[in-house]
């Protein structure tokens, strides 16, 4: 009896050890991908498009000077004078929107906490246009399942599942703490959401593309989790 238990331990131990040590790289890569997919399904199943994240009371904002500014470019990304937002992919009415046009659309405001995977968090009040309102304006094709966000910051980008993008607390923000979005935080327009980690919230937006297929992102293509729900 003790001998057969030892044998089982040995077999299990051997399999786990070869995966962990990366002896068989293809097998362990496959295993990690499978785990990520499983985890993503699990998170997507827990995710409710109707559940609102708690908002924070006025006065809880992190002082602006203490709210970190992250961009991959060497220098502060600067919007061109003729900046517009292009809305495309599989939509019936592709759009090219100016900031004024965006500001005339229904406004959504929220005061929420930011979570960066690097271990910091901060609070700000954001205001802008819901991604769902943008999709409505552009006439979303029912085959769309994902949406890609692109920026003028050295090609930084990300892609999202539609339920998260259409959550009522997912907006394209042009205002932070009652002021025009500062250059360090993504001026003139950035994605902001209560339901995703920091790296999903693309700043310095140029394009929103609704797609039938899932793509990647700047950090996602380097191994960061794709779903990245909060
Ligand atoms: N265009 C662009 N968007 C971006 C990034 C970036 O480098 N470039 N960094 C992401 C990361 S990792 C985080 S945590 C947040 C940081 O937002 P903040 O600069 O307003 O704190 O922006 C996200 N969006
Ligand atoms: Mo981040």
């Amino acid at each position: 009896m003790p001998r057969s238990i030892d044998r089982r331990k040995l077999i299990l131990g051997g399999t786990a050890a070869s995966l962990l040590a990366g002896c068989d790289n293809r097998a362990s890569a496959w295993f990690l991908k499978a785990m990520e997919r499983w985890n993503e399904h699990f998170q997507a199943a827990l995710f409710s498009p109707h559940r609102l994240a708690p908002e924070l009371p006025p006065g809880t904002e992190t002082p602006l000077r203490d709210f970190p500014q992250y961009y991959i470019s060497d220098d502060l990304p600067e919007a061109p004078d003729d900046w517009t937002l292009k809305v495309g992919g599989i939509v019936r009415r592709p759009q090219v929107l100016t900031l004024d046009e965006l500001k005339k659309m229904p406004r959504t405001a929220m005061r929420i906490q930011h979570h960066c995977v690097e271990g910091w968090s901060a609070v700000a009040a954001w205001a802008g246009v819901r991604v769902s309102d943008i999709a409505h304006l552009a006439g979303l094709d029912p085959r769309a399942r994902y949406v890609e966000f692109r920026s003028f910051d050295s090609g930084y980008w990300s892609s999202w599942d539609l339920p998260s993008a259409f959550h009522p607390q997912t907006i394209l923000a042009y205002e932070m703490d009652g002021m025009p979005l500062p250059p360090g935080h993504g001026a003139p327009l950035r994605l902001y959401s209560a339901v995703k980690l920091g790296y999903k919230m693309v700043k310095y937006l140029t394009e929103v593309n609704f797609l039938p297929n899932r793509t990647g992102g700047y950090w996602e293509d380097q191994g960061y989790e794709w779903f990245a729900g909060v």
Side-chain angles (χ1 to χ4, degrees):
M1 181 83 153
R3 280 184 80 163
S4 72
I5 286 171
D6 281 353
R7 234 184 81 125
R8 262 178 61 198
K9 259 193 194 154
L10 198 73
I11 292 163
L12 287 172
T15 311
S18 74
L19 282 174
L20 287 176
C23 294
D24 183 343
N25 272 321
R26 279 179 42 200
S28 69
W30 177 87
F31 175 75
L32 288 175
K33 256 269 143 346
M35 283 307 285
E36 197 201 313
R37 293 228 180 257
W38 176 79
N39 189 29
E40 187 186 304
H41 275 120
F42 185 64
Q43 288 188 57
L46 285 178
F47 175 81
S48 161
H50 306 296
R51 202 189 63 217
L52 294 184
E55 301 218 9
L56 299 161
T60 51
E61 292 89 348
T62 304
L64 204 52
R65 64 179 176 282
D66 297 332
F67 201 123
Q69 303 181 357
Y70 268 49
Y71 39 83
I72 56 163
S73 295
D74 293 335
D75 301 310
L76 185 66
E78 229 184 292
D81 290 337
D82 59 351
W83 180 90
T84 54
L85 179 74
K86 291 177 188 61
V87 182
I90 49 169
V91 291
R92 287 191 298 279
R93 298 178 295 274
Q95 303 282 317
V96 179
L97 301 166
T98 64
L99 197 56
D100 280 344
E101 288 170 328
L102 286 158
K103 286 181 178 169
K104 284 185 188 130
M105 291 181 65
R107 177 189 151 96
T108 298
M110 57 197 193
R111 187 181 293 96
I112 51 175
Q113 188 154 25
H114 180 110
H115 305 271
C116 175
V117 280
E118 298 206 297
W120 57 271
S121 66
V123 177
W126 306 92
V129 181
R130 281 190 178 137
V131 175
S132 57
D133 287 338
I134 297 283
H136 189 71
L137 178 72
L140 189 71
D141 185 308
R143 288 168 300 171
R145 292 282 176 278
Y146 299 91
V147 55
E148 223 175 63
F149 301 94
R150 296 190 173 267
S151 80
F152 58 81
D153 173 20
S154 305
Y156 192 94
W157 68 293
S158 184
S159 58
W160 289 41
D161 57 295
L162 274 196
S164 299
F166 288 173
H167 188 277
Q169 290 164 308
T170 299
I171 65 174
L172 304 184
Y174 47 71
E175 215 180 275
M176 181 184 189
D177 293 341
M179 300 198 299
L181 188 62
H185 293 288
L189 190 72
R190 73 171 302 167
L191 181 58
Y192 210 86
S193 176
V195 301
K196 292 289 193 199
L197 291 174
Y199 63 89
K200 300 297 286 185
M201 305 199 245
V202 178
K203 313 197 297 180
Y204 312 107
L205 283 172
T206 53
E207 283 180 35
V208 176
N209 296 313
F210 295 96
L211 303 172
N213 57 306
R214 184 182 132 166
T215 55
Y218 179 82
W219 288 117
E220 293 87 335
D221 292 351
Q222 296 174 58
Y224 277 51
E225 197 200 346
W226 180 81
F227 192 81
V230 169

